[in-house]
Each structure stands twice: as structure tokens, then as C-alpha cells.
Amino acid sequence: MEAAAQSVYPFEQKCPFAPPEELTWRRRNAPVSQVRLANGSTAWLVTRYDDVRTVLTDPRFSRRQVREAAMRGGPPGAPAPAPAPAPAPQGGSARTSPPPSGRFDFGMSLSDPDRHAAWRRTLASVLTPRHAESLRERVARAVEETLDELQGGPQPADLVSGFAYQVPVRVLCELFDLPEDMRPAFRAWAAQIRAAAPSTAAFGEAMGSLYGVARRLVDKERAAPGEGVIGLLLTAAGEEAAPADEELLTTVMLLATAGYESTAVQFANGLLALLQHPGEAARLRAGQVSAAAAVEEILRYAQAGTGFAGTTVTTEDVRLGGETIPAGSTVLISLDSAGRDESHTDRPDEFDLGQGAPHHHLTFGAGSHFCLGAALARVELQEGIARLLRRFPALRPHDDPAAVEFTANLFHRYPRELLVVWS
């Protein structure tokens, strides 16, 4: 196989958790190489763990153009949209306008360090592993409530719609400490964003709906900061450094989006991997491996990205993996491939819960763009998967797990449904 063949990326994937042959070949033989995209343009693909980590942490790989493209629904490098109204001064509370229909803003996750470093430090001071642990009991309660509903329903049951997409909504309500009167609108947004699937326009419309909930929440917390994450942020920042509405609104929308869909997808993919490997599920259920180790192995092995998460553009010529990537180039990273890098995992193609470790994967990113919700996501996955297996000791797939049909959103592939029985 030759990299020069320029197969269209993302490469065809026949098995959900088995990287395409061409992706594996490139990691071993051409770890940094050019690929052709479906729209006819080209990009650089980075496939090895260390090189992927470099892209995630080196400021020469910028997300600024990608953020601007996301705002207008176009590719990186197209003309920037008209400037948005200036945000309120630091400490101000002037209202910001809702995002234009069909547009969305990933905010801090796609902006450069000079624009969000200070606010990220404040956010990181609140979203700590200790804070995530303080929510474990409420997360466990959310999981048990979801399992009660699942157990009380018909069989076969769908673990995607009935569990994977239910737990994160409940956990986010706890994270934000949402009042009961706001929760129906939040759940409606969750249903809307799931239905948006890979449509950029539909995703933007869903983000407009989320904005309404975020606006109400920010107004409430400004009036009387509570124990939810926004209230804690306001308290941590203090009056002199009180964040502008734009920062608070972006934070709500970012945490909600990342904490909902990405966690739901990871639940779905992880549960499919366990159904495909009943021996590993039995080890976890019996306590032979810890839930923490199991989740790390799931995060490494059960990836199914669309290939476009973490897209960046080089700000200058960069030497990486034996190649020189010219300034202004679009760079794609393969987290799936990085998780299968033989230099970081002894048996990268095996699903072994006992070998799970954080340094075996980059699922939560790295450096200044490391996912601030990683600690809570880990707690959620640990509680959710372990409690599901304990509640249903006879849990088994209703259909052949190798024949599960996949669907996709903007960044992830995951089972359309995952039918199971337990009696």
C-alpha cells in the first residue's frame, strides 16, 4: 500500500473498533502524510501518539480558523464573518445576543491560548477531580434512576436511547444545579441536538435552543450564585474579576455540548465493546478489574471518530514526523490511531480492561485544550457502566453485536441502537 494513492479520508472502516488498514499502514510507515478530502481539498493527517500530542499542545497548530469556520458553517481559510458585537467589559453583565440561526460557537475549545488562558484557569480551579468526586453520589443516583426506568420498561431495551443518552442529561442537570422549571427545556435541547446528527445547520439551531437555557441560568446565578458550576465560577472569580456574560454563556454551552453528546457516545461505544467481549464484562462485574481501569481501556479501544475532531491550521512551517507541514495547512489528528500506537500499548488491538491507563490514550486531548470535564466524565462512565453490569448480571445482546448498525454526528460514530435483554 502506498500513501501516495491518496485515498479519500476518512478511510472506509469495516469494523467499528478496528482502524482501517490504510490508517494502520500510515501510522507505521507514513505517520505524517497528506490525504485527500471528499470536497477535493487536501490536509495533513497525523497518526502516532507522540505526534498527535504535539499537535494538541504546540501553539503553532492553531484552532482559530477552525473556530471561525464553525461560526459561519464553512471550511477553514474562507473569509471571516462580520465581527460580532463586542462582549461586555470584564465584570460587566450586559446582555449578549443569541447566536445567528444555523451557527454555533465552541468557544474556548477552539480558540487560541491568548484568548482564553485566564478564563480557563478560573474554570479549571472549579472543575477539579475533587469537584468531580464531590458529585459522585449524585452521579450514582442519576445512574440508578435511569436503570430503574430501564428495568421497568420492555425487553429488548435499547441501551443507546434508554441509557447512554439519558445518564448524561441527568448528570448535567446536577452539574449546573438546574432548577426544576429549567430542566424540561434542557431535556428538549438534548433531544434536539441528538436529532441534528451530522447536520451543521441543525446543530446550530440546537445551539440556539441551548442559548435560551444558558441565558436563564446565567441570569439566575448572577442574582444569587448557587452550588452549580456557574455559581461556583462567579464565586471563585470574585467581584473585581467577575466574568462577562459572553464567557459564562459560552461556558454553559461548551460544557453542556461536550458533557452530553461525547459522554453518551462513549457510553454507547464502550457498552458495545463489552457486549462484544463478554469475558471482559464478567471480569468487571466480578470486581477482578477496577471500574477506573476499565473506563481507561474503553476510552482507548472503543473510539469511533469521524476523523475531524481536533482539526487545526499551522501558523508557520512545522517539522513533524519527518515531514515539513507548510504554514496555512489544515492538519487532522487520528485519536483512534494514536490509541493503537504500539509504542504506548503492548497489545494495542486487544480489548483488555486490566491494561487500561490514562497515558494509553488522548481521548480527552492534551495541553491547553485538555477537556476540563474529563474528571467528571470518568466518574460518570465508571458509575454508569459498573452499576449497569451489576444491576443486570444476565445482560446480553439481543442481536449479533458484530452486526450493529452505526450512525454519526459531527465528530463521532456510534451504534444507532444497542438492543439487550437480561431475563
PDB file of all heavy atoms in Angstrom, residues 43 141 343:
ATOM      1  N   ALA A  43      -5.297  17.721   3.160  1.00  0.00           N
ATOM      2  CA  ALA A  43      -4.950  18.031   4.539  1.00  0.00           C
ATOM      3  C   ALA A  43      -3.818  17.104   4.949  1.00  0.00           C
ATOM      4  O   ALA A  43      -3.516  16.117   4.269  1.00  0.00           O
ATOM      5  CB  ALA A  43      -6.150  17.848   5.459  1.00  0.00           C
ATOM      6  N   ARG A 141     -26.780   8.408  41.809  1.00  0.00           N
ATOM      7  CA  ARG A 141     -28.241   8.492  41.898  1.00  0.00           C
ATOM      8  C   ARG A 141     -28.862   8.658  40.515  1.00  0.00           C
ATOM      9  O   ARG A 141     -29.887   8.040  40.198  1.00  0.00           O
ATOM     10  CB  ARG A 141     -28.641   9.642  42.814  1.00  0.00           C
ATOM     11  CG  ARG A 141     -30.151   9.729  43.051  1.00  0.00           C
ATOM     12  CD  ARG A 141     -30.489  10.667  44.185  1.00  0.00           C
ATOM     13  NE  ARG A 141     -30.044  12.033  43.940  1.00  0.00           N
ATOM     14  CZ  ARG A 141     -29.076  12.643  44.634  1.00  0.00           C
ATOM     15  NH1 ARG A 141     -28.444  11.993  45.603  1.00  0.00           N
ATOM     16  NH2 ARG A 141     -28.724  13.897  44.361  1.00  0.00           N
ATOM     17  N   SER A 343       3.912   1.824  20.389  1.00  0.00           N
ATOM     18  CA  SER A 343       4.934   2.341  21.297  1.00  0.00           C
ATOM     19  C   SER A 343       4.362   2.739  22.649  1.00  0.00           C
ATOM     20  O   SER A 343       5.119   3.024  23.587  1.00  0.00           O
ATOM     21  CB  SER A 343       5.653   3.539  20.660  1.00  0.00           C
ATOM     22  OG  SER A 343       4.764   4.644  20.533  1.00  0.00           O
TER      23      SER A 343
END
